Structure formats: structure tokens, C-alpha cells
Amino acid sequence: MGTPQTQTQAPTQAPDPGQVTATALGPWPGEDPAEAARIIRGELGSPHLPFLAELPDRGVGSDALGRTASLLVELSVDVQPYGWRIVDRPGKDLKRARSALSTDVNILADVIGAEDTPATDLKVQLRGPLSLAAGLHLHNGERALIDYGARRDIASSLAAGVGGYLSRVAASAPGARIIVQIDEPEVASVLAGTIPTSSGYRTLRSVPGEEAADSWRLVIDALRAAGAVEIVVAVPEVEAPFDRIISSGADGIAVPLRALTSRQWEQLAGAVEAGKRLWAGALDVAAPSAVLPRVADVVETVWRPWRQLGLPASTLSALRVTPSEGLARHSPSSATAVLTRLTQVADGLNQLALG
């Protein structure tokens, strides 16, 4: 397996969490990367965090799994009826995924180049090594998650591929600080051993927690070496291994707030007190056609537990506010309205932080 590529540029100073900011999780509706980039960057100008959109409506290769798999070094993939499969040599599916991502980065460069004052930060998303292993299949059709060697190779391959990717992104946004969100939507099932085998008659053995942390650490270290100034791991709220994520070296955690337990809030409070970031999925967008919650109500979903845990208002600056999930199921106008509402929520929380 190749070694992680690194940039030769000097380390970039991490973003200063001086105020609450807004971002979204990556998935976006439609098939037009230029329109997506213009909307996102228009709504999420500084101090907020614009991102390189994922457009799964474009089809094979533009889904989150295929997009990340296109970055793997010395591992190729193709698409079968049951999903993405690891193969011996690259084919049309992998070429399509790489082409789509390259197009997105080039178009982003054009959009940024036309801006008078580009945002100082830019976020990209990657599927994490555990969920990647759960989503990729071996030659026999079984998930790569079943095999320790395959899991190790996928994590190493991803770590080797992120450097070149971040270099391309950085070139498209000169001077911008690059922030990375590692998505692990399958983490609870992976650690609990509840993902079914290809036959469906049994489940795959759980992955040890220490192995999970080691996989994250490998990718996080490679991202850091490639110039990423902030790296968060995004997880669902159910059975999320916050302690493992923090021990792996992540700068923070992205998680929906809608069903967090008191114990989970206490873990997150401890992370904030230790200087970590919380990307709070405070705006529930599970029903795309529903009316968005009032700003004051969303602010309260964050401020109430914050206050109950005894966290001072000044620590609200550790927050980024996000939707509860990606926005691909929304219409472009609805997704735009979500970004607008998020910046309003950030403003409301900043007012509390200032007392």
C-alpha cells in the first residue's frame, strides 16, 4: 500500500473558534455543481463554512461512497447490482467517479475565482474507513468489513489518497483553510455487529473499538499532514462512540441533537471543555416539505442543555450549527432556505454568547 501523500506547504493555522458559525453536511440536491457552489458560497460566506457539495442525483460515482472510493490508492472499484465492489483494475465506474469529482473541483475553482472576497475556509467530506469497509464488497459479494486485512487495506488506501485530493482542493481555493468532515453513518452498526452478511441469515462480527480508533487515527494523521486545519467525525446520534472519536485525534464531533441522551450531552460537554469542537445538528430537516422551525426554538434546543450542563455562554464559540442530515432530498430552494436559517441560528447563539 502506498504511503500518504503530503503537501510541502507550511502548516496553516487552525480556524479561531471565536463565534458560532454555520455549515451543512455535504449532500445537495440537483445535478449542477456550478449552481450548487454559487448558492452554498453565497449563503455561507465568512465567517460561516462553505463546502464542496455532493450531488448524488447525478448517479453512479457521485454518491458519497463512490466519491470517496475514487480516492483510494492501489484499490479499484466497480458497481455491481449489490453495490460498489473492490476489483483488480480500474473500469468505467471508477473513471466516472473520478471525472465527476475532478469536474466539481474545477468548477469550484471557477466560482471562487469570480468572487470579490472568497470565504477564508472551505470544507470537504469523506466517507470514513469503517463505513467505507461496510459499503464496499469483496469479489465474493461479501462486505469488506468481514475481513480484517481488507479493513486495514481500505484505511491505509484512504490515508494514502487524501493528500493528493486536499492538494487539488487547496489549489482551487487559494489561501483558504481546508476543513474535513469524515462521515461514519454506519459506525454504530459496525461496532455493534449488526450489519447483515450478503445472505442476510447472520450478521458480521463487530469491529473492536480500538481498531476503529486506529483507523480514524491513520486517516486523520494523513489529513493533518496534507494541510487540513480542522477534522471532525460525523456520526448518527444513536450509540455514537464519542470517546473513541476524540481519542483518535479528531478536532471535534458532528452529530444530530434530536435524540441525544443526558450521558451523551455530558460526554460532549467534556469534549468542549477539553477544547474540541461540536458541530451541532440542531436544525431538524428530516421532512423536506415541512416548515422550518423558528430560529428561537432551534437556539433553545442548543442553549437549554448547554445551560443545564453548566457550560458558560462563552463556550458557545466551540459550536458550528448544521442540519440534522444532508439536504439531497430537498429542493434547491428548500436547501437554500435551510442554509439561511442556519446562519440565523448562529446569529442567535452568538447573541447569547455575548451576554
Side-chain angles (χ1 to χ4, degrees):
M1 190 60 58
T3 55
Q5 301 178 44
T6 59
Q7 298 181 35
T8 56
Q9 65 188 42
T12 310
Q13 186 176 1
D16 176 18
Q19 57 186 310
V20 182
T21 55
T23 193
L25 298 177
W28 190 261
E31 302 179 20
D32 186 343
E35 179 190 37
R38 284 192 291 266
I39 291 173
I40 290 166
R41 296 185 67 79
E43 294 293 327
L44 297 177
S46 294
H48 302 295
L49 180 58
F51 54 94
L52 180 62
E54 297 172 354
L55 302 171
D57 288 350
R58 287 191 299 184
V60 171
S62 293
D63 58 293
L65 191 68
R67 194 175 176 95
T68 300
S70 75
L71 303 177
L72 297 176
V73 172
E74 297 179 11
L75 284 179
S76 297
V77 293
D78 70 5
V79 176
Q80 297 296 312
Y82 49 77
W84 287 93
R85 177 186 65 169
I86 298 172
V87 292
D88 294 329
R89 59 183 61 86
K92 60 180 176 60
D93 297 325
L94 180 57
K95 291 176 183 176
R96 182 176 176 182
R98 287 174 173 168
S99 175
L101 182 54
S102 180
T103 296
D104 288 356
V105 174
N106 291 339
I107 288 175
L108 177 67
D110 293 340
V111 172
I112 291 175
E115 294 174 346
D116 293 331
T117 54
T120 56
D121 295 336
L122 174 66
K123 175 172 72 76
V124 296
Q125 305 80 222
L126 301 169
R127 186 56 58 99
L130 298 184
S131 297
L132 202 55
L136 295 178
H137 297 259
L138 303 174
H139 287 277
N140 62 5
E142 194 55 83
R143 296 176 189 272
L145 192 70
I146 197 171
D147 182 82
Y148 169 75
R151 297 196 302 268
R152 180 194 58 209
D153 287 349
I154 287 170
S156 298
S157 179
L158 180 59
V162 296
Y165 177 46
L166 259 62
S167 292
R168 284 184 285 153
V169 172
S172 76
R177 296 170 297 194
I178 307 301
I179 293 162
V180 182
Q181 169 190 317
I182 300 174
D183 291 321
E184 287 285 15
E186 306 294 342
V187 62
S189 300
V190 168
L191 295 180
T194 58
I195 292 181
T197 59
S198 58
S199 69
Y201 292 121
R202 59 188 181 89
T203 57
L204 299 178
R205 183 177 299 173
S206 62
V207 171
E210 190 55 43
E211 181 188 330
D214 287 345
S215 295
W216 289 327
R217 190 175 297 111
L218 183 67
V219 175
I220 287 168
D221 287 349
L223 288 166
R224 197 92 63 196
V229 300
E230 182 180 339
I231 303 161
V232 302
V233 178
V235 291
E237 68 272 31
V238 179
E239 301 297 328
F242 297 151
D243 291 345
R244 294 283 188 190
I245 292 169
I246 295 303
S247 71
S248 71
D251 297 305
I253 295 167
V255 63
L257 302 187
R258 55 194 169 201
L260 291 181
T261 64
S262 296
R263 171 170 167 70
Q264 287 178 309
W265 267 111
E266 289 169 0
Q267 289 178 307
L268 291 171
V272 168
E273 290 175 330
K276 301 296 184 178
R277 301 293 296 271
L278 171 59
W279 292 23
L283 184 59
D284 192 346
V285 295
S289 60
V291 175
L292 289 174
R294 294 170 57 246
V295 172
D297 292 339
V298 182
V299 168
E300 187 62 16
T301 65
V302 178
W303 178 234
R304 184 187 308 111
W306 210 263
R307 188 174 59 243
Q308 290 171 345
L309 288 164
L311 291 169
S314 59
T315 59
L316 286 169
S317 62
L319 286 173
R320 291 193 198 275
V321 289
T322 78
S324 58
E325 58 187 57
L327 301 174
R329 296 189 299 117
H330 289 243
S331 66
S333 60
S334 171
T336 304
V338 168
L339 299 188
T340 302
R341 184 55 49 90
L342 286 167
T343 61
Q344 294 167 343
V345 170
D347 288 344
L349 288 165
N350 280 319
Q351 291 175 20
L352 288 173
L354 293 171

